[in-house]
Every structure is written in structure tokens, then in C-alpha cells.
Amino acid sequence: MKAQMEILGLVVVIVLILLGLLLFVSFNLNTNEPKPLKNDFIKTQMAQNYINTLMDTTSSCNNMQISKLASECENIHLGFGSNVNCDDGLNPCSEIIKIANITLKDALGMYAYRFSFGIDKGYESEWGNVSSDAFRMDAMTVGSGKAVLPSKIPGQSLYFRLDINR
Amino acid sequence: MKHAQIQMFETTMVLLIFFIIVGFGLIFYSNYMHQQVEKNRKHVEDLNAIDVALVAMNLPEIACTVSSVMENDIVIKPGCVDMRKVEAFSDYLANNPEELGSYYFDRLQYSKIMLNEIYPEKKAFVVYSYSGLKHNEHNSSFYVPVSMYWPDKDTYSFGVMEVTLMQ
């Protein structure tokens, strides 16, 4: 009788331990945790908002908008040259990169975003690029934005693209 | 007598260990629940901050307007604020502080909305600020790039709208 009681006690202890483990595992495997909203918003909105805002921005280069400077930049790459001379001696392509550098660092860098910004023409080589030091494409929260501008060459377009993560 | 004492001691020890295990379980569970509540609170705060930022960006009082393809019609230009409207809006709120606690509170809650011009100049403009009696224990900030339109010069600056929600 006493041995039976001892065994019963052991069974109760084992059941309690199993119950504890079950609760621990179920808490840790709980998949109903809310997703980080800010990261979702960054993924879907932030990069595109940045590109849209940049396209609108009036540069110090003859008060031209960035989207217009991009057209001049294309002229240079097509070999037509450009009549636009910026005050600081930069050509339109360099002017865009200069402004992107300033705005990216202040608009994204100071809020701990990492970024990679580039201008290119479809699959051709990049015309300009600005990246933060620690940008990694494989980071978990990657957001992308793109602006496509019409090109002088039919069927081709200029691409402004921004990838960000945190 | 001695045997009974040993049994009593054994029972006491078993109960003591049992309650220690239950105590650890309760501590673990309460910590876990506390973390969950904190996560949910942060989630709701982030949601509110994004909500207020989107409302602020599209407030007709400050948003840029452009002519629509429809004749005699104007529409809001997304992601753009008219700086002359911002100035007028800030002045209006300064002269009519009762609006802060009523009409705009429904839309912008306890928040501070700032426009930070980044290019070509670096300047900051307060659009709306209402903290009420909040002690700012939990602030949630959110940043959105916006075009800042200057109608007198017909130029666009690059800016960031900073929304700090006090909760």
C-alpha cells in the first residue's frame, strides 16, 4: 500500500512537470504575436515616399526639379551632352547624387535606416549610387521604392530605386 | 514518535517544494503576460502614430492641391504640404486654442507634428502640438518624407514630417 502511494506521488510529480513543459512550449510557439507595424509600413511606404518626394524636390541647380535633372542626366549618358551647368560645377547626374546623399542621410540615416539608392537604365550599369555603410540586402526588413521616368529612347526607361532596411 | 516526526518533516518538505515550483510558475507566467501586454501596447501605439501621420499628411488645411483632369476641380497632391497653408494653420491654432481640444483632437489626438526641412535649407516648423494633461510616459514617433511646397517661389523642398504621439 505504501509503495503504491509512493508511485502515485511520483506520477503526480511527472504529470506536473509535463504540464509545465507543455505550457512553456505553447507560450514560446505562440504565433499570434502582432507583426512590427513600423517595419511593414517601411516595407510598403517609406521607400516609395522618399523617391516620390525626391522627384518633386527643386534642386539648387537652376531651380530645376530632380525629375528634370534626370532627363538631362540621360542626355549626357546618351552622348548628347547637356546645356545645364550647375552653380557648383557639377553635372546634372552628380547633382542628383549630391542631393540624394544629403536627403538620404538626414531623412533616413538619422533615424537608423540603412539604404542603397541608385539611378540606372533597366539592366544597364548604374549611373550613380549612394549607400549607407552597413546596408545589407539580406536584412529582415527590406523595403523598396522605385520611380520610373520616360526615356528619350522608346522602350527604355530611367529607374530611380531605393532599398532600405533597419 | 520519531517515525511520525520524520513523516511530518517529509510531508512539510514535499509541500514546500511544491509551492516553490508553483511560485516559479506564477513568476514565469506573469513575466510572460507582462511582455505580451507591452508588445500589444507598442503595437497599438505604432498603429495610432501611423494613423495620425497619414491623417496629418492628408489634412486639406495643409495639403498641396493640384488641378484635376475634371474641369474646375482640384484634388489633394499626395505626400506634399503647402507651406503657406502650414503657416496659416499654425497661426489659426495659436489664435483659436479651443480647436486643439475639440475638432483637431478627434483627428490628431495628443501629438506633436513637425515638419523638418532637409534640403535645400535645414529648418523646423511646428504644425500642431497638443499634449493636454499627458505626462508623456509613452511616446511613439513616426517619420514620413514629404515635399514642402513654397507657392511664392514655386519650389519644392525635401522634408520629413515627424509625428510624435503622446499616449
Side-chain angles (χ1 to χ4, degrees):
Chain A
M1 185 66 184
K2 196 182 169 188
Q4 281 176 334
M5 289 297 282
E6 292 279 338
I7 289 166
L8 189 68
L10 269 173
V11 169
V12 168
V13 168
I14 290 166
V15 166
L16 282 174
I17 289 169
L18 284 176
L19 201 65
L21 278 173
L22 193 72
L23 283 172
F24 182 79
V25 170
S26 67
F27 286 154
N28 281 307
L29 292 181
N30 188 0
T31 53
N32 293 328
E33 282 185 17
K35 290 177 185 173
L37 275 170
K38 279 187 179 171
N39 290 342
D40 278 356
F41 192 84
I42 291 162
K43 208 168 187 173
T44 56
Q45 293 284 319
M46 186 66 91
Q48 193 59 51
N49 270 4
Y50 173 86
I51 290 280
N52 293 344
T53 306
L54 185 71
M55 289 297 103
D56 264 350
T57 303
T58 309
S59 73
S60 56
C61 181
N62 301 335
N63 273 355
M64 290 173 76
Q65 277 188 301
I66 299 290
S67 51
K68 301 249 168 49
L69 277 181
S71 180
E72 292 297 325
C73 178
E74 187 192 20
N75 280 344
I76 293 171
H77 281 271
L78 289 175
F80 300 138
S82 171
N83 296 325
V84 176
N85 290 310
C86 303
D87 296 337
D88 42 14
L90 297 174
N91 69 31
C93 304
S94 307
E95 186 72 18
I96 295 171
I97 292 300
K98 185 191 88 178
I99 295 167
N101 208 0
I102 295 168
T103 52
L104 280 166
K105 276 180 185 159
D106 283 352
L108 300 178
M110 70 184 288
Y111 304 123
Y113 293 108
R114 299 189 180 94
F115 51 83
S116 174
F117 171 80
I119 317 167
D120 58 38
K121 193 162 188 172
Y123 297 101
E124 287 182 18
S125 58
E126 288 175 342
W127 293 0
N129 200 310
V130 185
S131 290
S132 57
D133 295 338
F135 179 79
R136 289 186 298 115
M137 270 303 287
D138 60 343
M140 267 184 68
T141 56
V142 177
S144 293
K146 190 185 274 184
V148 183
L149 299 178
S151 166
K152 291 180 178 62
I153 299 174
Q156 292 191 31
S157 299
L158 285 176
Y159 290 90
F160 283 67
R161 53 177 176 66
L162 174 69
D163 300 303
I164 55 177
N165 64 41
R166 205 168 198 183
Chain B
M1 185 66 184
K2 195 162 186 182
H3 183 70
Q5 278 179 331
I6 290 169
Q7 278 209 325
M8 279 286 286
F9 179 72
E10 188 185 332
T11 309
T12 310
M13 288 308 290
V14 166
L15 282 172
L16 188 71
I17 290 166
F18 175 77
F19 283 117
I20 286 172
I21 291 169
V22 170
F24 273 121
L26 280 174
I27 290 168
F28 168 77
Y29 183 72
S30 64
N31 278 344
Y32 174 80
M33 286 309 288
H34 182 70
Q35 283 173 12
Q36 289 299 107
V37 169
E38 277 297 304
K39 271 184 195 169
N40 285 336
R41 187 183 59 75
K42 191 86 184 73
H43 182 79
V44 171
E45 281 178 9
D46 286 350
L47 192 65
N48 283 344
I50 291 170
D51 200 25
V52 169
L54 292 177
V55 168
M57 276 179 74
N58 293 297
L59 264 185
E61 287 86 336
I62 60 169
C64 301
T65 46
V66 287
S67 299
S68 122
V69 284
M70 303 281 283
E71 202 176 341
N72 298 326
D73 198 8
I74 53 167
V75 290
I76 286 176
K77 182 179 178 183
C80 176
V81 288
D82 186 319
M83 292 311 291
R84 285 290 162 262
K85 286 186 182 179
V86 168
E87 281 175 17
F89 182 64
S90 301
D91 288 347
Y92 174 76
L93 290 181
N95 295 326
N96 300 278
E98 70 279 3
E99 293 278 6
L100 288 169
S102 55
Y103 180 78
Y104 289 106
F105 177 74
D106 291 343
R107 285 147 185 83
L108 306 173
Q109 304 173 35
Y110 294 111
S111 64
K112 184 174 187 181
I113 298 166
M114 291 192 66
L115 283 168
N116 297 317
E117 186 180 351
I118 289 171
Y119 179 87
E121 292 176 52
K122 288 196 192 315
K123 281 182 195 165
F125 305 86
V126 178
V127 181
Y128 171 92
S129 180
Y130 184 58
S131 58
L133 299 172
K134 289 275 173 181
H135 297 293
N136 306 347
E137 287 173 3
H138 301 291
N139 286 350
S140 184
S141 294
F142 196 71
Y143 313 93
V144 195
V146 286
S147 293
M148 298 161 74
Y149 178 59
W150 300 91
D152 45 349
K153 293 183 281 184
D154 193 26
T155 59
Y156 291 88
S157 300
F158 188 102
V160 172
M161 181 179 275
E162 182 179 343
V163 176
T164 306
L165 199 62
M166 292 159 258
Q167 316 199 46

